[in-house]
Amino acid sequence: MDFHVELQGRRDLAGQLYRGLRAAILDGRLRRGERLPPTRELALRLDVARNTVSVAYEWLAAEGLIAGRTRAGSFVQGEASRPRGRAGREAQVPLRARAFWRALPDLPVPLAPAAYDFGVGSPDVSSFPFESWRRLVARQLRAATVSGGYVDAAGHRGLREAVARHVGLARGVRADAEDVLITNGAQQALDLVGRVLIEPGDCVAMEEPGYPPARQVFQSLGARVVPVPVDAEGLDVAALPDAARLVYVTPSHQFPLGMPMSPARRVALLEWAKRRDAVVIEDDYDSEFRFGGRPLETLHGLDRSGRVLYVGSFSKVMVPMLRMGFLVAPPSLQRELRWARRVMDWHSPVPEQAALARFIDSGLLARHIRKMRREYEARHVRVAEGLSRHCGDWLQVVPSVAGLHLSATFRRGGLALERETVARARAAGVGLITLSRYFAGPRARAGLVLGYGGIQAARVPEGLRRLGASLLQAVGLTRD
């Protein structure tokens, strides 16, 4: 074999070797019937473990590109004449997705983490009790506790019971295990509700500004999503379209502005939904972290007609990578929701569900929430004070007493100043998000949204000082 394999670095050696050999077979450098070196010989030649070569050969054999012969070795089976590369792809018949998916922009290329990262939606994962979590998961993975079959599409019974107790105590949500459906995060819960309730062309009302992934999931199901303005009291119920079949709201901590929905507006929304025979989705995404006063009662707790579906997530209180959320729904929808979940992906990983049930029941979750509530409150105060000190002449902080982020609107300067400020801040090592990106309609407000969950408290002052300097530079460039 005169083909040369060069490995770049020592990571993923088996993968590198597999890809190199595969490419050589498909482009004809290794021809059909040609014998590959024995695994021991190639391992010595490349200075790698013999097992690395064996794994690469096994992958090639599984793909049908090589085949082993008893006492003879491994031989190339691939088709050297098979069209490869860009030319081969262009010759294929182009497949077309639905118009909605084609209209979406390309997914953003992840940027390198900023030195002072005020990104939205990230909790402080460094403070999570990973060792306790590891022990709980390991216990569930023991052979004696692992079932060979599937489980209820609604989720692990023990976790549903634990979630019902948790939201009952923490948020006043009246539910038992039969009302709870475990999901892969809040986003899947929204998708399930949409699949069960929304017909193509139905009107869905959402807050403006609002949460883009929720808007996109409803649009992907064929809904007509109508933005409804918010003010200091939250969603403007009087502006809801009569045709709305479903209303999506974040009443405890409006996303992204941060104000809670007033008690009067909550009552008005429930009365409106009853008159219009509509459904309300209450996304209570980070209400565990409330810093002042008595928490307002949930819409679900106020609801007497069974029209509110309550969506929660453990992404903010634990770590996002776990992808664990839940949906509290009335009995009238449980059968259909279970079917939708079964059709979609049946259920979430069972060992993690069982571990989370123990994490809740043992008090570890409540303890972690108490600890992080104090920490996030300190960061919240520090960010609000720093914004006022360094940017107060140009930015007005939106009052907020909960969550992992806060927003500030530009007093003057508009969208041009917003864009230039974010660009200048990024160049100075400060990562943040524009407020305008959360608007669906044409009247976007200029501002900034700053998360403080993922940034160390000690880095906040310098990050805000740099933001203030960047803002002043942007003002000089955008001022008429």
Side-chain angles (χ1 to χ4, degrees), residues 34 102 319 397:
E34 189 170 349
R102 296 200 307 271
V319 287
V397 176

Side-chain angles (χ1 to χ4, degrees), residues 447-463:
L448 303 175
V449 185
L450 290 87
Y452 44 80
I455 185 171
Q456 294 177 354
R459 300 183 71 81
V460 169
E462 175 62 16

Side-chain angles (χ1 to χ4, degrees), residues 252-253 258 286-287 289-292 380 400-406 452:
S252 296
H253 184 224
D286 65 359
S287 63
F289 303 122
R290 184 174 179 84
F291 312 133
H380 177 98
S400 172
V401 293
L404 302 182
H405 74 271
L406 53 75
Y452 44 80

